[in-house]
Amino acid sequence: MIEQLKIQPTTKDLKKDIAYYLKNYCDGVQHAISNESLAHKFSMDIRTMRNLIQNLITNHHVPIGSCSKNHSGIFYCVTEDDFNIASRELLSRIKKLSKRHKGLRLGYFKESKQLTLTGV
């Protein structure tokens, strides 16, 4: 039932409240929570929540992981297994983005050569 309750901020810093919640209630991949559920708990949209999570990881070095496989959602990394799951997820996304970038690059240069050849 706690899953459905909205969270009342305990500090004036929403990032701290989110980090506290994840550390205490989403500790480990087995307690992962979806972005949608977490955003709902803090009464915000998903994009804002994702940006706050990204900021916590990148700028404040909070060990928050995510997984899109069996335990879909985000979680606070407490074990080496949690870290490895989160790390593999990031590396998989990096590889997919790299392939996407390559396709964009190849498509752009193919298109720009055709435009040059036809005088357009």
Side-chain angles (χ1 to χ4, degrees):
M1 288 296 150
I2 194 167
E3 290 295 322
Q4 297 177 4
L5 298 175
K6 288 194 176 186
I7 303 299
Q8 295 297 319
T10 57
T11 70
K12 292 183 180 182
D13 187 345
L14 193 54
K15 286 185 282 192
K16 284 184 181 179
D17 289 338
I18 293 168
Y20 176 86
Y21 181 83
L22 290 172
K23 185 173 184 177
N24 290 281
Y25 298 102
C26 303
D27 54 329
V29 69
Q30 71 276 15
H31 297 122
I33 185 172
S34 70
N35 278 315
E36 294 83 4
S37 294
L38 191 60
H40 179 74
K41 285 184 181 303
F42 285 90
S43 302
M44 65 177 61
D45 63 272
I46 296 170
R47 183 176 296 264
T48 301
M49 177 58 67
R50 286 184 179 149
N51 288 338
L52 285 170
I53 296 295
Q54 180 182 1
N55 183 279
L56 283 167
I57 298 166
T58 306
N59 298 326
H60 301 283
H61 309 129
V62 179
I64 299 169
S66 69
C67 182
S68 59
K69 302 238 180 203
N70 299 331
H71 305 283
S72 183
I74 56 175
F75 54 92
Y76 195 92
C77 294
V78 293
T79 67
E80 190 171 339
D81 283 342
D82 293 337
F83 167 78
N84 288 332
I85 289 167
S87 184
R88 281 193 303 269
E89 181 78 15
L90 286 173
L91 291 173
S92 173
R93 290 178 187 180
I94 289 167
K95 287 177 186 175
K96 289 174 187 172
L97 284 171
S98 180
K99 286 180 183 179
R100 186 170 159 186
H101 176 260
K102 181 180 179 181
L104 170 67
R105 185 171 34 91
L106 291 172
Y108 172 77
F109 287 110
K110 178 182 175 184
E111 188 71 23
S112 67
K113 282 183 183 179
Q114 288 176 353
L115 291 175
T116 304
L117 293 174
T118 60
V120 177

